[in-house]
Amino acid sequence: MRVVFVGPPGAGKGTQAENIVAEYKLFHLSTGDALRAAVAAKSPIGIEAEKYMSSGALVPDEVVVGVVVERLDEAKDGCLLDGFPRTIAQAEALDKVLAEKNAPLDVVLELAVPEDELFKRLASRGRADDQPEVIKRRLVAYREQTEPLVGYYTKAGILRKIDGLGTVEEIYGRIKAVLDEYK
Ligand code: AMP
């Protein structure tokens, strides 16, 4: 099963992703985690990425696509792509790579949470990029650059919207009901 997880910052993707990969035995690829590791290691990619991440902007497509392509081979038995793609260009690059592997996406989960709730959740989290100004920019980046993916994957017929309000357990229950259809 190959799954993409889309949703605005603060929607709770990280928490739900942990549950999903444990239960469905999927390779978890979070580009946010991979980029934070690169920043911590001060690798060339990390040094480049940090400039964007610290301001709340998206890291350039070619940098992120490179990070993902390098690791997709670890995903033989299925994967959860978490925080990738985040632009139409990334989605097109992903489609191309997966088509070459004869391994198209099965489903795209959109975790939907209203914006006022996101701001509350992010402001209480305390990550380096969770400062109010940076949060605002990340939400704008989501709306302008990532949300168009909803239309892209709806057109492809693989988008499933998940209500992201409720307890962690309630939301996971909704996710599981959808993923069980693709097992
Ligand atoms: P996340 O942990 O998914 O919220 O990502 C944290 C930050 O990493 C984002 O605000 C972006 O700067 C960067 N990032 C993560 N994934 C991507 C991606 N697919 N494309 C561009 N930038 C990304």
Side-chain angles (χ1 to χ4, degrees):
M1 183 160 64
R2 281 169 298 276
V3 183
V4 160
F5 207 10
V6 187
K13 286 198 304 296
T15 309
Q16 297 298 341
E18 297 302 332
N19 291 334
I20 295 169
V21 297
E23 176 153 0
Y24 295 91
K25 311 268 180 288
L26 302 176
F27 174 69
H28 183 194
L29 182 44
S30 155
T31 44
D33 287 350
L35 291 168
R36 277 185 290 278
V39 170
K42 296 191 163 47
S43 70
I45 285 179
I47 289 166
E48 170 77 2
E50 191 176 19
K51 294 186 252 172
Y52 300 91
M53 294 169 78
S54 59
S55 74
L58 294 185
V59 173
D61 290 331
E62 57 281 12
V63 175
V64 184
V65 169
V67 168
V68 171
V69 167
E70 215 170 71
R71 300 197 53 197
L72 266 183
D73 282 336
E74 294 172 59
K76 293 267 182 295
D77 299 319
C79 57
L80 179 71
L81 300 179
D82 171 7
F84 179 90
R86 255 180 160 99
T87 64
I88 296 284
Q90 290 178 19
E92 288 171 348
L94 177 65
D95 280 348
K96 194 161 159 241
V97 175
L98 292 180
E100 280 162 13
K101 293 181 194 291
N102 231 335
L105 291 174
D106 294 293
V107 60
V108 175
L109 301 176
E110 179 205 359
L111 193 56
V113 176
E115 203 157 295
D116 52 342
E117 173 71 17
L118 295 173
F119 206 86
K120 260 191 269 167
R121 292 190 196 178
L122 287 165
S124 67
R125 201 166 63 170
R127 214 169 70 187
D129 55 355
D130 287 339
Q131 306 304 316
E133 281 313 305
V134 182
I135 292 176
K136 268 186 217 150
R137 248 175 272 138
R138 285 162 60 212
L139 291 172
V140 170
Y142 182 78
R143 221 182 303 129
E144 293 181 352
Q145 293 173 272
T146 306
E147 217 157 51
L149 291 179
V150 171
Y152 180 88
Y153 287 123
T154 299
K155 217 180 261 170
I158 56 172
L159 187 95
R160 301 291 295 269
K161 188 173 180 147
I162 308 284
D163 174 2
L165 286 179
T167 65
V168 169
E169 291 73 25
E170 281 164 353
I171 299 162
Y172 186 60
R174 295 173 198 143
I175 292 173
K176 197 170 144 47
V178 170
L179 289 184
D180 281 347
E181 292 176 32
Y182 295 88
K183 263 202 300 205

